[in-house]
């Protein structure tokens, strides 16, 4: 009854009279008129809106930094909170209109991924700072090199979000070690995928690059997509390349091979690495577009760490790297070598289980069930992982030793990651592990 009451209240709140006052209705009507006007007239109309009434009626807005000036009144602090995502990819000039409309801001970004590209000259930055007497802030206002994330990280405490929720372990472990110093915690780890080899490398012989296009790799990518077309993944197929010319050639070939309905059925997208920053797909096909004879600048471009990190971490379930390089060296060689080795299983040695957990594990083993104590999932440990591969389940044997809050957070994390969980506390079974194990085995076996 309480849940129903809360749900009803939440459904009615967006249309309540307290939100939709006469001022709010006028502001929303004015916004609609402004959006129908030309750009210059639109900004004039936006400036005349009652921002407080508008936000009271429409409190949640989602958009890009490029939308702000053409969608919102130019009123400082009109939002209680602004969340700026992918901030390492946003320069200060584009972030300023967004942050100016915030009383508080949460700035999120990954400095190990692609950064913004600036076309502002150093001499112009220096001249502007001198003109306004801001030379002492030159390091912070270096709009060519310092992103919105850099400025925020230098001005406020930084919280590290280390849990990774996207990719199967094999897809992310190289980047976790190479670019994040082993600090990523893989919430996606489960016995069904910890040994899964989900990176393929397709070598294309006798390729050449003409006008920036490696046609042999384009043909290889088309063949890979064709094989996937019979049973496409639910989460789509992405085709990506570091180079614009190669990405354009891939897009043209895909458009020639598939009509719009088929592209939608396949969930097919293509583009450059820069276009895929922040995006993901179940299956990704990456065309490196390089040959050994390419000039060093092209090789350096592909092996730029931030770009390469984005390139190889867009896939959730499977990645195929299409390459014409015969003996790749450096970062590309290291990654292809990693891709050619079978993934190692999770290290699960938290020490011997004790007390009730150890007794329950022993009884489950006697029933013929595989048991792994202390199975790591992100920053958490599952007390007992019971079963193998896709059939494995998590068993929680007691309240987390760090307290109730940690216990609840562990439960939420594991459930979001798709773990079937069973609570088997000693108090429920009067410290009888035999009865508890028999009951648990029956529940696990029940369809």
């Amino acid at each position: 009854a309480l849940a129903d009451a809360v749900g009803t209240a939440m459904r009615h709140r967006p249309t309540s009279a307290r939100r939709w006052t006469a001022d709010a209705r006028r502001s929303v009507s004015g916004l609609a008129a402004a959006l129908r006007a030309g750009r210059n007239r639109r900004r004039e109309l936006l400036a005349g809106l009652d921002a407080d009434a508008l936000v009271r009626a429409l409190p949640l807005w989602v958009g890009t930094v490029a939308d702000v000036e053409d969608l919102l009144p130019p009123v400082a602090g009109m939002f209680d909170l602004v969340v700026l995502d992918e901030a390492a990819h946003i320069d200060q000039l584009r972030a300023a209109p967004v942050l100016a409309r915030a009383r508080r801001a949460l700035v999120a970004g990954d400095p190990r991924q692609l950064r913004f590209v600036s076309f502002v000259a150093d001499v112009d930055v220096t001249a502007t700072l001198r003109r306004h007497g801001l030379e002492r802030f030159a390091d912070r206002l270096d709009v060519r090199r310092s992103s919105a994330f850099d400025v925020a990280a230098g001005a406020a405490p930084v919280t590290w979000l280390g849990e990774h929720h996207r990719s199967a372990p094999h897809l992310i472990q190289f980047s976790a070690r190479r670019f994040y110093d082993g600090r990523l915690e893989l919430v996606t780890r489960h016995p069904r995928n910890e040994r899964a080899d989900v990176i393929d490398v397709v070598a294309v012989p006798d390729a050449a690059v003409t006008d920036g296009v490696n046609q042999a790799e384009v043909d290889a990518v088309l063949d890979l997509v064709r094989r996937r077309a019979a049973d496409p993944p639910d989460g789509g197929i992405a085709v990506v390349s570091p180079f614009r010319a190669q990405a354009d050639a891939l897009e043209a070939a895909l458009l020639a091979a598939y009509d719009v309905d088929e592209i939608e059925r396949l969930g097919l997208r293509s583009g450059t690495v820069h276009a895929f920053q922040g995006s993901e797909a179940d299956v990704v096909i990456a065309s490196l577009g390089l040959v050994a004879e390419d000039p060093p600048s092209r090789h350096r471009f592909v092996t730029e760490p931030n770009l390469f990190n984005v390139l190889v971490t867009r896939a959730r379930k499977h990645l195929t790297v299409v390459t014409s390089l015969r003996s790749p060296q450096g970062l590309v060689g290291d990654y292809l070598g990693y891709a050619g080795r079978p993934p190692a299983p999770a290290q699960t040695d938290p020490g011997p289980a004790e007390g009730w957990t150890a007794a329950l594990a022993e009884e489950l083993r006697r029933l013929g069930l595989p048991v792994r104590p202390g199975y790591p999932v992100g920053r958490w440990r599952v007390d007992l992982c019971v079963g193998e591969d896709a059939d494995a389940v998590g068993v929680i044997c007691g309240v987390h030793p760090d307290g109730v809050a940690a216990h609840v957070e562990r439960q939420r994390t594991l459930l979001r990651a798709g773990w079937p969980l069973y609570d088997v506390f000693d108090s429920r079974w009067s410290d009888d592990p035999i009865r508890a194990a028999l009951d648990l085995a029956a529940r696990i076996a029940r369809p």
Side-chain angles (χ1 to χ4, degrees):
L2 177 60
D4 290 341
V6 171
T8 301
M10 292 179 68
R11 286 193 298 273
H12 290 170
R13 186 175 179 184
T15 58
S16 68
R18 296 185 64 181
R19 250 190 210 180
W20 288 92
T21 62
D23 288 341
R25 293 178 186 277
R26 279 193 293 272
S27 292
V28 172
S29 177
L31 174 64
L35 295 180
R36 290 192 295 267
R39 189 175 189 189
N40 291 335
R41 177 60 176 157
R42 177 188 303 175
R43 293 191 176 187
E44 181 182 337
L45 293 172
L46 288 173
L49 297 181
D50 183 339
D52 289 340
L54 181 63
V55 173
R56 192 183 312 119
L58 303 172
L60 178 63
W61 293 67
V62 180
T64 68
V65 291
D67 295 331
V68 169
E69 296 285 51
D70 290 321
L71 288 179
L72 295 173
V75 176
M78 64 182 289
F79 291 105
D80 293 326
L81 175 68
V82 164
V83 179
L84 193 64
D85 196 15
E86 296 288 351
H89 199 51
I90 301 173
D91 64 77
Q92 296 180 54
L93 300 179
R94 290 193 299 157
V98 182
L99 297 176
R101 290 169 168 82
R103 294 189 182 96
R104 295 179 300 150
L106 189 155
V107 180
D110 185 349
R112 298 293 185 269
Q113 294 194 9
L114 287 169
R115 300 177 62 80
F116 67 94
V117 178
S118 175
F119 299 98
V120 179
D122 281 330
V123 64
D124 293 331
V125 175
T126 301
T128 302
L129 293 179
R130 185 179 298 115
R131 186 182 312 123
H132 294 280
L134 297 173
E135 295 96 325
R136 65 186 183 281
F137 300 115
D139 56 341
R140 186 176 301 179
L141 297 177
D142 183 359
V143 297
R144 285 201 67 214
R145 298 173 183 83
S146 296
S147 67
F149 177 85
D150 297 327
V151 175
V158 177
T159 299
W160 170 260
L161 302 178
E163 289 188 342
H164 180 84
H165 294 262
R166 172 187 293 153
S167 305
H170 192 211
L171 291 167
I172 193 63
Q173 283 172 335
F174 179 89
S175 285
R177 291 196 295 264
R178 186 67 169 254
F179 304 119
Y180 298 98
D181 301 321
R183 296 176 67 195
L184 291 187
E185 298 155 336
L186 307 189
V187 177
T188 55
R189 180 181 284 118
H190 185 276
R192 69 175 175 273
N193 65 21
E194 65 176 354
R195 296 184 181 87
D197 186 344
V198 291
I199 305 175
D200 291 335
V201 178
V202 174
V204 179
D206 304 322
V209 173
T210 304
D211 296 329
V213 176
N214 185 325
Q215 187 59 45
E217 289 192 11
V218 172
D219 295 339
V221 168
L222 280 177
D223 183 60
L224 290 167
V225 173
R226 195 174 296 113
R227 295 182 199 175
R228 288 278 181 182
D231 185 22
D234 294 336
I237 302 170
V239 176
V240 62
S241 177
F243 299 107
R244 165 56 61 190
Q246 185 74 3
D248 288 346
L250 288 163
E251 181 179 274
L254 292 168
L255 289 173
Y258 300 101
D259 59 24
V260 173
D261 291 339
E262 187 68 359
I263 288 173
E264 291 183 354
R265 185 183 74 85
L266 298 176
L268 186 58
R269 293 173 292 155
S270 67
T272 64
V273 177
H274 287 77
F276 274 90
Q277 169 107 342
S279 297
E280 58 192 61
D282 276 2
V283 172
V284 172
I285 302 171
S287 169
L288 297 186
L290 285 174
V291 293
E293 296 76 19
D294 273 333
S297 59
R298 279 177 63 89
H299 287 267
R300 284 195 301 270
F301 182 74
V302 173
T303 57
E304 196 281 320
N306 289 32
L307 181 143
F308 195 84
N309 182 29
V310 174
L311 173 67
V312 299
T313 57
R314 298 305 92 196
R316 286 187 289 261
K317 296 181 178 180
H318 193 276
L319 170 67
T320 300
V321 180
V322 179
T323 178
S324 307
L325 296 174
R326 294 184 292 273
S327 300
Q329 304 295 320
L331 181 56
V332 174
D334 292 346
Y335 184 80
L336 297 183
Y338 163 83
R341 296 189 294 272
Q347 299 299 313
T348 59
D349 186 19
E354 299 179 349
W356 171 253
T357 303
L360 180 62
E362 180 61 27
E363 295 303 327
L364 290 169
R365 290 190 183 102
R366 287 178 180 174
L367 295 174
L369 293 172
V371 179
R372 298 168 69 179
Y375 188 87
V377 179
R379 61 193 175 98
W380 305 106
R381 294 270 179 174
V382 180
D383 292 341
L384 297 176
C385 174
V386 180
E388 293 181 316
D389 300 327
D391 295 328
V393 303
V395 177
I396 305 301
C397 299
V399 176
H400 194 281
D402 291 342
V404 173
H407 183 83
V408 171
E409 182 60 27
R410 178 177 63 172
Q411 294 284 105
R412 287 175 175 170
T413 300
L414 294 173
L415 290 172
R416 282 198 302 265
W419 277 81
L421 292 181
Y422 295 86
D423 289 338
V424 186
F425 290 13
D426 55 353
S427 57
R428 167 70 175 79
W429 295 99
S430 302
D431 289 316
D432 186 344
I434 297 176
R435 288 177 55 222
L438 289 169
D439 176 82
L440 177 62
R443 284 192 286 161
I444 292 174
R446 193 178 302 142

